[in-house]
Each structure stands twice: as structure tokens, then as C-alpha cells.
Amino acid sequence: MPILFCEKTNVFHLFNDRVSYIIRLAAGKYPLHVYWGKRVRAIRDDVLSRLTSYTDETFSLHELPLDVLPQECPTFGTGDLRPGMLHIRHADGTHALDLQVVSHRILTEKPPLSGLPSARGEQSQTLLLTLRDAYSGISVELAYTIYDDIDIIARSAKIINNGTSPIVLQEAMSACVDFEQADFSLLTLSGAWTRERGEFVRLLVPGHQGVSSERGASGHQTSPFMALLAPNTTEASGDVYAFALCYSGSFTADVSVDSFGMARAQIGINPFNFSWTLDAGSAFQTPEAYLCYSADGLDGMSRQFHALVHRRITTGKFASSRRPILVNNWEATYFDFNEEKLLSLARCAKDTGIELFVLDDGWFGERNDDTTSLGDWFVNRQKLPDGLAGFGAKLRALGLQFGLWFEPEMVSPISCLMEQHPDWCLHIPGRENVTSRSQCVLDMGLSAVQEYLFERMSGLIREAKLAYIKWDMNRSITNARSMALPPHRQGEVWHRYILGVYALLERLLNAFPQLLIESCASGGGRYDAGMLYYSPQVWASDNTDAVDRLKIQYGNSFGFPMKTMGSHVSVCPNHQTGRTAPLETRALTAMCGSFGYEMDLTQLSDAEKKQIKAQIELFKHQWQLHQLGEYHRLTDAQNDRWFTAWQVVSEDKSVALVQLVLLAPRANAPVLSVRLRGLQEDAVYEDDGGTRYTGAALMKAGLALPPMRGDYSSIQIEFQRLL
Ligand code: DGJ
């Protein structure tokens, strides 16, 4: 029974074997946050004592010092002057909201969230706390799901207008946690296009700190993720409290430290440019937030997020099975291709063992550069005379599956679609529209737009027998005004947009359950749990430089399993950085993600083709370890100067792979050694050279590596546990 309620003490205890989360109703009405951390034994435990006085009759309801009490759902108008979780404007223009618990339910089935992706509920229980503002009739349902096997609590809120007049929701966070002290560092992931998800750590200070996106997408610049680290937290030890959001639009993840040194952490839809009119009788559902507590440092935190994405978020046949190894023609040809050129690439790919051919941008309309034709999802017969069906048949005759690129959410100003439906694109009448990469954004909240895209895309998936689509999105959203909404509802456009994206993805997957979707937003510009619910892999970055990828993949690994990262071997000198790295290193780096190639294979020497064939065979042999194994960061890739190392271990700890890339060769170098993780201490492991070690020796003393030479040379060592 992972959720218990004690009527006598008014306490809810959510727990699994490792973690407890405790809520107490002050004066039987206000949900206070009592505890979140290592499992405590029972409701009687003295973790409750410090808040006991607020649950008896010492204080009348309106004398409760809510401004200094840790709360679960703080609002404006109760005496708590810290940032609230919900902000509502009533019909009379006032804002107060006094939410008190009126009932609760404990469910064994986790309810899905209407219109939004969310984690599945196997092995879980859900607490639904219903709160009500007696003055307005507004109620809020707070949902908390605790899993038996994953140390993550899923939280969301549903706001229901049971009053008689419309209200305006100005802010609706998905989760709020109050910490009684702020002695934490805040870890966030930030970057830019081609430099996604660098790790940044800062000490908390009074005031607001956090990350947010105001772009209509979660963004390259940062991620809907933050972690609070207790002092001295490392990869292997220390208390970590992390927050992530299952949402792909503008978000905020914020910690505010008050004058008493308390820290309030919140995550949810960004209130900037957001407002939602809730008519009487209607409801608003927030996205789902994930709260992860790890007593085992950052490594422990990542293991929980990886498990959540792997076991409860990615769905469909590709959640656990091997994804096809692909070749993508983008860096091989860009827009300059015809069928013969593509087929020679395909033939070469087939010879090396590649399984899926992905035709990227440029196959439709009159698109020979990035200035035209988005939205005109009709094949360009000059490039592909037999159409997509004919081209697909030729690929299948070679023994390859067919995958195709789309950028469904966009329209080029120069396109038939724009001529026919200028109102389908987001724009503000009377203002010049802002283009970016010569494109405008479709109003994905419009059902006509969704209908058009579904009809076009499903027709092509069927006709060309597509096994895969790459769903790209190459610009941020500006001028978000929808022709379908009245002025007072324009604050709904961004959220309706992302709901429209989810609805289309859902519809396509219902129609084609075997379809593999790889999402992309100029690389990792929309890499979040929301997209991963529909697309089990995301093109991690437009930067294919293997050495830069070490950093990007390292940053991603804090919150996402490696198999979610589309990762390709590309040509050298690399197209983004001009760097040259050995083919072996490029493959080693790409193999730890969702593996593929993106280069003109026809230009390779026979020796290189042979090498690629061997890499593909190796990946087919090792894929379970790479994609389903436990991943450990062994060095800090963002700051490494000498070498970067990482490790994967099978679930039963019987096989481990250590991988290392030398960043800067040194003359007369000291012994290079790394400490391994996640092995069985008392077991004996043998490496591929026949040397034996105990698990304890490898984890405590470390593994001494053979001397390495050469820029960006790399090594992979496999360990097998002996019986
Ligand atoms: C951006 C993507 O990240 C690239 O891989 C490629 O698909 C281009 N768009 C095509 O326009």
C-alpha cells in the first residue's frame, strides 16, 4: 500500500521502499508539505512533530501563519506572500483564492491527463486531493502518483470552475515543493543551437532563480528540468531533489528563496504570454511534473529519470526493441539530390548493414533551399520521378526500410499552402510577420490545420509504406495570434498550439502504431518528456562533431536515457566545427545513442566501408547494453580536459562496457585510470584481454588504462562477470 491516510493525524504518506513524501492537513484543511526524502518508517515517525501544532485547534483557520509554512498548493490571498502555484482573476477582477481540502481519493489506476502526454501508471497508486475555494466555487484536484519501482512522484493539477461566471487562469503550475531551508545548489541545463544542454550549477540566494522558455517550445537554450543539490553532492553521493516537466511548450522552473531562508521550487507552464479563460463548468489540466529524490547523488537521480522515460513514458514497439540503424541523407546531400544519387547512397548503406534509409528535407514542392514549400507535402517529381511510393519500393527491393522528413508545424511564405490559407499561420493582422529560416508557424490549435496535416501525412505514410518519420521544427514561435480566438483568449494560443501538436502525433500513432517517430527541433530544441511520449528518439543536436557530442550527450544524460538521443556518425572534417576525429571514435560516441550514419557513404574508401560494416555488427551485438543498460557518467564531460569516459552496465550487472575518448594526448603521461560504477562488488569480472578484477577493485581502486596516443583516439573495454 504505497499511499496511506491517517484520519487521526490528517496525514497522507506516499512511499515505496526507498522514498517517502508526506502531506499533512493543517487544521484539517490546508495541505502542508511535511517531508520528502529517504523512506521513513511510519506515520508516527517524528518527522511529523514539527508541524503538529498546526493541525490541532491552537490556531483558527485564518490565523495559520501560511507565509512561513511549507505548503503543497499555495495561492494568493491566504496570507502567504510567496509566489503562488495558481493565480486566478475572478469575474469581479479580484485574485484571492483560499483553497481548502474537501475530499480525497486513493486510486490504483493512474488517470491519463486529458489532451496531454503523461507517464503510465503500472505499479503505482495515485492520491487525488480535492481543494475548494468556498467563495468562488473553484476547485483544484492535485494528483500525486507514487511508483513502487521508480523513485519519482508524478504531480499535476486540474482546475475546475464550479462557479457561475468565467474566470481567467493567469498562472497554473504543475507542482510546488517548499523546502524549509535553502542550503542547496541549483543545477540547470542550458545552451544554444549546436551546444545543447550544458550543465550549470549555482548556489541558491534570496530571490528568484531558475530557467524558463518564452519561445513556444522547450528550447535549445534550456530544458524543463532543475535539480537542487545538497552541499557536497557528487555523482555518487548526496541528496538531490530534481524536477522535470512533461511538456514541450514554454515552461518555467523556478526556485525562490524568501527572507526566512526557505526555498519554494515550482515547475509548470510559463505564465508569460499565458492566460486561459475558464467558463463556468469547464476545467484546465496542467502538464505532469516529475519529482525525483535521490540519496545517491546525480548518478542516482539520472537512473530514476532514465527508468521513468524507459518504463513509463516511451510507448509502442520501440520502447524496448532495437531501433533500426539508419542512414540520413542530410549531411550527405543537403538539398542537392536526385533519385539516382539517393539510390547509390542506399546501395552503399545496405552493403554496410544499415537497415533504414531516411530521406531528409527537400523532397517536396519546389524546395531546393530553405526558402520555399514548407506545407506543400507533395513529392517533387523532378527529384523523384516515380514518387515516394516508387522510391520506397526501390529501397525495399534493396532490403531497406524507408523513413521521411517532415516539418509539419511550418509553412513557407512562398508555398501553395500559404497562398490558399494565409489565415492558418500565426500572425498579427496589420503587423509584418516575423519569419525565421524563411518560414512561418502554422496555428496548430486549429482543427483545420490538424486535419490537413493528418490527411497529407497519413496518405504519404500509407502510400510510401514509411517505417519512420523525422518530425522537425526549426523555429521559435513569435506573433502568436490565432484567427480562431477572440482577443481575451489570445493568451491561450501557445498552449493550444502544443496541445494541437500532441493531438496530431497521437492521431498518427493511433493510425500507424508501428511507425517510429524521431522528433527534432533544429536538433535538440524540443527535447523533453512530452515529445518522448510520442517519439522515443530525438535528434539530439545539429552538431554531429563526435567530440562536441560527448558534452551534449553528457548533459542530456542527466534527465534522459541514452537511447532517446539520435546520434549519427558524420564525415570529417566535421561540417559544424571543422574538427577531424577518427572514424572509430565517431562510431563509439554515436553508438551510445540511437545509432545511425549521416555522411556520403559512396565517397568512403574500401577500408572505411569495411570499418563501418564492423561497427554495425558490433552495435547489433551490443545494442541491449547501450540502449537498455544502466548508464554512468565516469568523468565530467563538460569540463574534461584530458579524457572523457562513460560506462554502461547490464541490468543484472553481468556485462559492462567502459568507453573513453582521449581529448588531449600527453607526452610522458601519468597512468590514466577511471573508477567504474554499478558493478557487483564481490563478483569477479574479466576484461576482453583476459585480466580479472573484483567489482570492488574496479569501483574503488579504479581501472588503469593502457597508454593512449593520438587526437581523439578512443577505447572500449568489455567486462564479463565470471560465474
Ligand atoms: C534541422 C535538422 O536538425 C537537420 O537534421 C535537418 O533535418 C534540417 N533541419 C533540414 O532542414
Side-chain angles (χ1 to χ4, degrees), residues 172-277:
M173 291 294 106
S174 296
C176 169
V177 177
D178 279 346
F179 295 86
E180 283 187 298
Q181 51 79 28
D183 194 9
F184 291 115
S185 301
L186 174 67
L187 184 156
T188 52
L189 302 171
S190 297
W193 174 68
T194 63
R195 285 189 279 107
E196 292 91 341
R197 269 162 282 286
E199 172 205 14
F200 291 86
V201 180
R202 54 191 134 153
L203 275 178
L204 289 187
V205 294
H208 285 276
Q209 46 247 284
V211 286
S212 64
S213 157
E214 288 79 25
R215 303 170 169 263
S218 44
H220 296 92
Q221 291 67 18
T222 184
S223 252
F225 167 90
M226 64 177 173
L228 293 171
L229 320 184
N232 304 319
T233 292
T234 64
E235 275 290 329
S237 67
D239 284 338
V240 179
Y241 299 87
F243 300 76
L245 192 66
C246 191
Y247 191 58
S248 315
S250 300
F251 72 91
T252 181
D254 177 84
V255 189
S256 64
V257 178
D258 69 9
S259 51
F260 298 102
M262 293 175 70
R264 172 166 285 175
Q266 305 206 60
I267 193 162
I269 295 176
N270 194 332
F272 170 74
N273 258 0
F274 169 83
S275 67
W276 194 276
T277 300

Side-chain angles (χ1 to χ4, degrees), residues 328 330 335 360-361 367 405 407 437 470 472 474 520-523 539 541-542 598:
N328 177 305
W330 180 242
F335 292 104
D360 210 280
D361 197 352
R367 190 149 165 105
W405 180 95
E407 194 174 356
R437 207 193 185 211
K470 178 171 170 188
D472 206 347
N474 285 307
C520 169
S522 300
W539 179 228
S541 179
D542 275 353
E598 186 163 335

Side-chain angles (χ1 to χ4, degrees), residues 336-347 357 359 380-395:
D336 179 20
F337 59 82
N338 57 29
E339 192 182 72
E340 189 34 47
K341 200 165 177 180
L342 295 178
L343 286 174
S344 27
L345 179 57
R347 277 189 287 271
F357 184 94
L359 174 54
N380 178 336
R381 293 236 170 213
Q382 273 163 357
K383 290 182 179 176
L384 298 169
D386 296 330
L388 290 169
F391 179 60
K394 289 174 198 170
L395 289 177

Side-chain angles (χ1 to χ4, degrees), residues 371-410:
T371 60
T372 75
S373 303
L374 291 171
D376 297 347
W377 303 112
F378 298 89
V379 72
N380 178 336
R381 293 236 170 213
Q382 273 163 357
K383 290 182 179 176
L384 298 169
D386 296 330
L388 290 169
F391 179 60
K394 289 174 198 170
L395 289 177
R396 279 188 299 282
L398 287 174
L400 290 168
Q401 300 174 59
F402 185 16
L404 193 62
W405 180 95
F406 289 92
E407 194 174 356
E409 299 156 62
M410 300 294 153

Side-chain angles (χ1 to χ4, degrees), residues 3-188:
I3 300 181
L4 293 175
F5 175 59
C6 173
E7 256 176 71
K8 202 161 143 245
T9 51
N10 266 321
V11 163
F12 295 94
H13 186 187
L14 291 72
F15 61 91
N16 62 23
D17 289 344
R18 300 157 302 278
V19 171
S20 285
Y21 188 101
I22 300 179
I23 302 166
R24 180 170 224 158
L25 305 183
K29 299 290 180 197
Y30 288 108
L32 299 187
H33 176 72
V34 176
Y35 176 77
W36 177 28
K38 261 192 193 150
R39 166 78 194 270
V40 286
R41 271 180 314 110
I43 278 180
R44 291 181 277 107
D45 268 8
D46 57 5
V47 285
L48 305 176
S49 57
R50 51 202 175 84
L51 295 178
T52 308
S53 53
Y54 301 114
T55 65
D56 56 26
E57 301 308 319
T58 321
F59 289 91
S60 77
L61 252 192
H62 290 97
E63 283 172 338
L64 274 171
L66 289 177
D67 200 29
V68 292
L69 284 174
Q71 297 182 66
E72 288 293 322
C73 185
T75 51
F76 177 75
T78 56
D80 184 348
L81 300 173
R82 294 168 289 175
M85 186 171 152
L86 301 172
H87 194 180
I88 278 166
R89 183 154 46 82
H90 299 285
D92 65 2
T94 62
H95 294 257
L97 197 61
D98 185 5
L99 291 171
Q100 300 180 14
V101 172
V102 289
S103 64
H104 77 265
R105 283 189 293 156
I106 295 171
L107 312 175
T108 46
E109 299 272 310
K110 179 177 186 279
L113 304 190
S114 166
L116 286 162
S118 59
R120 294 187 309 278
E122 294 100 62
Q123 297 182 58
S124 72
Q125 278 195 1
T126 298
L127 168 66
L128 276 188
L129 271 186
T130 304
L131 295 83
R132 191 173 151 84
D133 174 47
Y135 303 91
S136 64
I138 292 166
S139 11
V140 175
E141 261 179 22
L142 299 180
Y144 299 78
T145 298
I146 175 129
Y147 292 95
D148 285 346
D149 59 333
I150 307 174
D151 300 344
I152 280 184
I153 291 164
R155 277 191 64 174
S156 64
K158 184 161 150 191
I159 299 97
I160 306 148
N161 182 2
N162 289 318
T164 49
S165 322
I167 56 157
V168 179
L169 203 53
Q170 295 187 321
E171 180 166 356
M173 291 294 106
S174 296
C176 169
V177 177
D178 279 346
F179 295 86
E180 283 187 298
Q181 51 79 28
D183 194 9
F184 291 115
S185 301
L186 174 67
L187 184 156
T188 52

